[in-house]
Amino acid sequence: MHQQPHHDYDHDDRYQPEDPGQPYETQGAQGVHGVHGAQEPYATRRKLRRPVVVAVAALLAAALVPVVADRLATARVEARTAEAFQEGMDTPRRPDVHVRGIPVLTQLASGTLRHVDITAHDIPADGSARPLPVSSLTLRLNGLRKSDDDSEARARSATATAALSYADVSDALGLEVTRGTRPGEIGARVLLPFGTEATVSTTVSAASGNRVAFRDFRVTGGALPAAGQALLDRVFEQPIPLRSIPEGLRLRSVTTTATGIDAHFSGESVTFRPDDTARNGWASENPSHDA
C-alpha cells in the first residue's frame, strides 16, 4: 500500500487542534478564530463599555442643563407676572399665569413673550373706579413686551372674557336678576302689593365704552303697574361700565350663562399698567362714555 507523505502543521497559519486543558478565554483567543479573529473576554468588553456609558451620561446631562434653565426662567417670569397682576387688580390670590412656547429664554432675550395666558379670579369692585366686580377674567396675550422703565407692558393683540355673576349684576342694578328664558336675556321677578308679582326680561348687549347695556325690556308674566314699569325702565336705561379691563380691549359681545353674563373682548396694542391699576383700576377704553 502506498503511504501518504507526512506533513508537519506547526506553522502559525496552519490548523492546530485546541488544547482541552487551556482556559476558555485562551481558547477563544487562539482557537478556531485564530489570533486576529478572537473575541474579547467579557471582563475586557465590560471595561471598554464604561467610557461609552460615561460619555452618553455626560451628553444627556449637558442636554438637560438648558432645559432646566429654561424651566426655571419660565417659573420666575410667571411668578413675577402673577404678582404684578395681583397687585394691580387687588385679587385675593395670585392669578394663574402660563407662558407658552419654548424656549422661553430665547423669548426673554428678544424682549417679547410670544403667548401668555392669564386667569384672575374675584376682581373686586372699587367705588366708581370699578363699579362691578368680575368673577373671573381670562386673558390671551400675543407678543407681550415690557417697556424699558418697567412702567407698563404692551401686548400686540389680545382676547379676554370677563365673567359677571348674576348676584353682582343684581347688586349693581338694585334688582335681583337671573338667566332669562331666551338666549342673551336676563329675567327678574318683581313683587307687587297684595302678594302678587310680575316677571320681566331684558336683552343684554355690548355698548360703546366697554359697557353692558339692557334693551327690549318687556313684561313676561303678570301685570305690572305703569309706575312699576317706569321704574324698571330707569333701572335698565343705564348701561353698566366694565373698568377692570386692560386699556386697548374693546367689548365685542355678551352672552348669558347659567351663572351670569360673559363679556367678550378683543383688541390690539393692549396696555397693562400695574401701578396705575393699583390706584385707579384698569384704564377704560374711553372714559367719556362711562356712566
Side-chain angles (χ1 to χ4, degrees), residues 215-228:
R215 309 183 189 281
D216 304 325
F217 164 69
R218 60 192 178 91
V219 179
T220 57
L224 187 65

Side-chain angles (χ1 to χ4, degrees), residues 23-282:
Y24 174 78
E25 291 82 3
T26 305
Q27 292 186 22
Q30 299 179 355
V32 176
H33 298 285
V35 174
H36 300 290
Q39 294 183 350
E40 294 287 346
Y42 174 75
T44 304
R45 294 198 303 270
R46 186 176 180 182
K47 290 180 180 179
L48 291 175
R49 289 196 192 103
R50 287 177 182 170
V52 176
V53 172
V54 172
V56 171
L59 288 174
L60 290 175
L64 287 175
V65 167
V67 174
V68 172
D70 196 70
R71 293 313 304 161
L72 290 174
T74 302
R76 183 179 180 184
V77 72
E78 289 176 346
R80 294 182 64 181
T81 302
E83 182 179 359
F85 274 81
Q86 182 183 25
E87 178 184 357
M89 293 184 284
D90 301 323
T91 57
R93 57 190 176 96
R94 287 188 180 182
D96 300 320
V97 178
H98 177 56
V99 178
R100 293 186 286 136
I102 54 175
V104 171
L105 283 173
T106 303
Q107 299 180 52
L108 292 173
S110 69
T112 302
L113 297 175
R114 292 195 295 269
H115 304 289
V116 180
D117 297 338
I118 301 175
T119 301
H121 300 277
D122 302 322
I123 303 172
D126 184 16
S128 60
R130 291 199 304 250
L132 183 62
V134 175
S135 298
S136 67
L137 176 64
T138 302
L139 296 160
R140 300 288 181 263
L141 312 176
N142 302 311
L144 183 63
R145 189 177 185 88
K146 193 172 55 169
S147 63
D148 293 337
D149 59 0
D150 291 342
S151 63
E152 67 179 32
R154 187 183 299 272
R156 184 181 65 254
S157 64
T159 60
T161 298
L164 317 170
S165 71
Y166 286 125
D168 291 332
V169 174
S170 298
D171 290 341
L173 292 175
L175 178 70
E176 185 177 355
V177 300
T178 58
R179 189 178 190 177
T181 57
R182 300 176 182 177
E185 280 189 350
I186 60 172
R189 186 178 64 172
V190 182
L191 298 178
L192 301 173
F194 309 109
T196 60
E197 65 179 33
T199 56
V200 301
S201 69
T202 182
T203 302
V204 293
S205 61
S208 61
N210 286 354
R211 300 180 299 170
V212 177
F214 307 94
R215 309 183 189 281
D216 304 325
F217 164 69
R218 60 192 178 91
V219 179
T220 57
L224 187 65
Q229 184 160 346
L231 177 62
L232 290 180
D233 281 338
R234 288 195 297 272
V235 169
F236 292 120
E237 181 181 8
Q238 294 296 329
I240 299 177
L242 303 178
R243 296 185 183 138
S244 299
I245 307 299
E247 179 184 352
L249 284 172
R250 292 172 175 78
L251 182 60
R252 306 299 182 181
S253 64
V254 293
T255 55
T256 55
T257 69
T259 58
I261 298 173
D262 282 354
H264 307 283
F265 301 81
S266 65
E268 297 180 353
S269 191
V270 178
T271 304
F272 303 85
R273 297 188 181 94
D275 292 338
D276 292 344
T277 302
R279 293 191 299 268
N280 305 316
W282 289 113

